[in-house]
Amino acid sequence: MTNKWSKLSLVILAMLLVLTACGSGAGTGNESASESGGKATGKQVTLTFWHHYSTASPEEKTLTGVLIPKFEAENPGIKVKAVAIPWEELHKKLQIGGSGGDLPDVARLDIIWVPEFQKRGLLQPLDEKFSDFNDIAKGLLEGPLSTAKVGEHYYGLPLNTNTKVLFWNKDMLAQSGIDKAPETAEEFFADLAQIKAKYDKSWGYGEPALQGWNILPWIWSNGGDVLSPDFTTADGFLNSQATIDIVTKLKAAYTSGQLAGFKPGDVPVTEGHAGGSYAMMAEGPWAVAQFQSQFGDFTFEMASFPKGSAGSIQVLGGEDLGIFSKDKQEESWKFVKFMVSEAAQVEMGKIGQIPVNLDAMESNEIKAVAYYAPFLEQLKTAKARPPVDSWPQIDGVLSDTMSSIFMTDKDVKAELDAAVSKIDGLLKLNN
């Protein structure tokens, strides 16, 4: 009898174990969050997100304190580990990581980096990987979206956009006999001379660097360029007469003490504009936030960048989101879509990041940011830097060339011709 009960007990125990497993819904315990519909019934997936928002900045605080918690609440199977890395260090870290395999799942990329990492095969082609790409893309600004396209495919989505406008000190210009911001390049250079005559120890214009971000607006607005329309050569463009003419005028302004800001030891441009060192500068919306937080008593004015023969053409800035992940692509795509959604874009827009989401731009909260207006107007004619993978190296050549032109007696055309030779060499090397 004891033996029979023992066998019966074993059978009952086995049946209970089977029923318990079926009723728990636990499965194998190995299904991913994407396979379980984002519910916390499988293992947790952790995404690594590298970005270059400054630590403790309003952007970083909003990302980590508002957006990521909201995303995680909506996607309980996914956690996001955000890592803040300074801009230049992030670029190098991604370059090194591409060789060593240490890469994030998602990264906030300067728009000029996308072609470089696409060529190395590090970025996922989003329009090929995800069937709802077109549905998401059509809700975003066309210009910023184009910065993520290399060849026939999109390797990212725009996260935010920006450009620069002319900031001008109304009091300094008035004291110099000028009653408005210069509307044309001709007026601009004439104003520099008048300002210098009034303020011998100040400068009419501050420029913090001589890279493409700083120089291209002048070249483009004057009808020049750095590369040909098909991005195959600099010859006939960087050394064109239109480029030579505007660079010569800028050099003359520097030599006459009317322009400064890019040399080590110069007064920082944004702080100098608020302090009366520079009567004018070209900067982005982040300058407004800096004025408001650090120079509350300073009244700043904004206007469109001075028009040249080709119009008022500023440089298009901003960042794209790229997916590097090979094994967490669905989860990464969910995070990217969330970051470009209306709700997330409005949150970032309220603290100075110009949205790329069309619905977000129409929201009352974004329209209430009054200082966006001149930037949105300037964005209508802003141009992106050339989408070539060698642009960082080309930008270095451009910066070195401009430094040589401005700070030596070397011939402008000869220096631009030499730069053309170097840039064409880079283009051939990378093709």
Side-chain angles (χ1 to χ4, degrees):
M1 179 69 70
T2 302
N3 188 40
K4 287 182 179 179
W5 279 111
S6 297
K7 291 180 179 179
L8 182 59
S9 297
L10 289 172
V11 171
I12 293 171
L13 178 60
M15 291 175 66
L16 287 171
L17 288 171
V18 171
L19 290 170
T20 301
C22 292
S24 68
T28 63
N30 290 324
E31 65 177 332
S32 71
S34 60
E35 294 169 332
S36 62
K39 297 178 181 179
T41 55
K43 67 177 184 180
Q44 289 284 330
V45 173
T46 299
L47 298 176
T48 302
F49 175 47
W50 290 359
H51 64 85
H52 52 93
Y53 294 120
S54 299
T55 304
S57 66
E59 294 89 350
E60 199 262 351
K61 288 179 181 178
T62 299
L63 172 70
T64 58
V66 179
L67 297 185
I68 289 178
K70 180 176 173 59
F71 172 77
E72 291 176 343
E74 294 176 0
N75 299 272
I78 310 173
K79 294 290 183 183
V80 178
K81 179 183 178 182
V83 183
I85 305 171
W87 183 89
E88 187 172 355
E89 185 181 337
L90 174 58
H91 189 210
K92 291 179 180 177
K93 193 172 177 68
L94 288 168
Q95 289 174 319
I96 295 169
S99 301
D102 180 21
L103 288 167
D105 296 299
V106 182
R108 180 180 185 241
L109 307 171
D110 191 303
I111 58 177
I112 64 173
W113 300 346
V114 174
E116 174 187 357
F117 294 125
Q118 179 275 334
K119 185 173 183 180
R120 294 180 61 182
L122 302 178
L123 290 171
Q124 300 298 330
L126 305 187
D127 54 334
E128 284 193 312
K129 292 283 185 178
F130 306 109
S131 60
D132 58 344
F133 174 85
N134 289 334
D135 293 333
I136 302 301
K138 68 184 181 183
L140 307 176
L141 282 170
E142 185 176 347
L145 179 63
S146 70
T147 67
K149 187 177 184 181
V150 182
E152 298 301 316
H153 296 290
Y154 290 88
Y155 293 86
L157 283 181
L159 177 62
N160 55 272
T161 190
N162 60 63
T163 190
K164 298 180 292 181
V165 299
L166 187 73
F167 285 78
W168 59 290
N169 185 315
K170 187 175 183 178
D171 183 61
M172 288 184 73
L173 266 66
Q175 292 296 319
S176 304
I178 306 164
D179 60 2
K180 63 181 179 63
E183 296 179 4
T184 67
E186 185 178 357
E187 290 178 2
F188 171 81
F189 287 108
D191 288 352
L192 292 187
Q194 285 187 235
I195 293 165
K196 192 63 181 179
K198 175 64 179 178
Y199 296 95
D200 182 55
K201 295 183 179 180
S202 296
W203 298 268
Y205 186 73
E207 188 62 82
L210 296 176
Q211 296 172 306
W213 176 255
N214 314 89
I215 297 298
L216 279 172
W218 294 105
I219 294 175
W220 284 336
S221 297
N222 202 53
D225 214 326
V226 173
L227 300 182
S228 59
D230 61 1
F231 311 123
T232 59
T233 183
D235 194 22
F237 298 89
L238 181 57
N239 55 355
S240 69
Q241 193 59 50
T243 303
I244 293 169
D245 288 346
I246 192 63
V247 172
T248 300
K249 288 179 180 179
L250 290 168
K251 176 182 180 177
Y254 170 75
T255 303
S256 300
Q258 301 168 4
L259 184 159
F262 54 84
K263 289 193 308 180
D266 282 353
V267 178
V269 171
T270 305
E271 291 89 333
H273 184 57
S277 294
Y278 306 107
M280 295 180 284
M281 68 172 190
E283 271 297 358
W286 48 85
V288 176
Q290 187 173 351
F291 289 144
Q292 292 175 338
S293 63
Q294 299 179 22
F295 306 98
D297 294 334
F298 174 62
T299 300
F300 57 89
E301 304 286 343
M302 293 182 286
S304 293
F305 189 70
K307 291 185 292 186
S309 60
S312 171
I313 306 174
Q314 257 294 344
V315 64
L316 180 68
E319 280 74 29
D320 292 336
L321 286 173
I323 294 178
F324 290 82
S325 180
K326 288 181 168 54
D327 59 347
K328 305 173 189 173
Q329 292 181 12
E330 290 296 331
E331 293 86 355
S332 297
W333 178 234
K334 285 183 179 181
F335 180 62
V336 168
K337 289 192 292 185
F338 171 82
M339 290 297 290
V340 302
S341 68
E342 178 182 358
Q345 292 272 297
V346 168
E347 287 296 331
M348 280 299 200
K350 291 188 295 185
I351 55 169
Q353 298 284 295
I354 297 179
V356 295
N357 182 288
L358 296 172
D359 290 333
M361 292 187 71
E362 293 300 316
S363 74
N364 291 332
E365 289 175 290
I366 297 302
K367 288 182 176 180
V369 184
Y371 69 81
Y372 275 170
F375 295 102
L376 296 176
E377 182 64 27
Q378 191 74 65
L379 278 167
K380 293 177 181 178
T381 56
K383 285 178 59 173
R385 284 153 287 181
V388 293
D389 59 283
S390 54
W391 177 253
Q393 292 82 17
I394 292 172
D395 205 12
V397 172
L398 190 61
S399 178
D400 291 344
T401 300
M402 293 302 159
S403 295
S404 178
I405 288 172
F406 277 51
M407 292 184 281
T408 71
D409 293 328
K410 293 179 180 179
D411 180 71
V412 173
K413 185 179 186 306
E415 289 297 289
L416 292 176
D417 284 340
V420 163
S421 179
K422 293 176 184 177
I423 291 171
D424 279 3
L426 289 169
L427 292 170
K428 290 177 183 176
L429 182 66
N430 287 280
N431 284 334

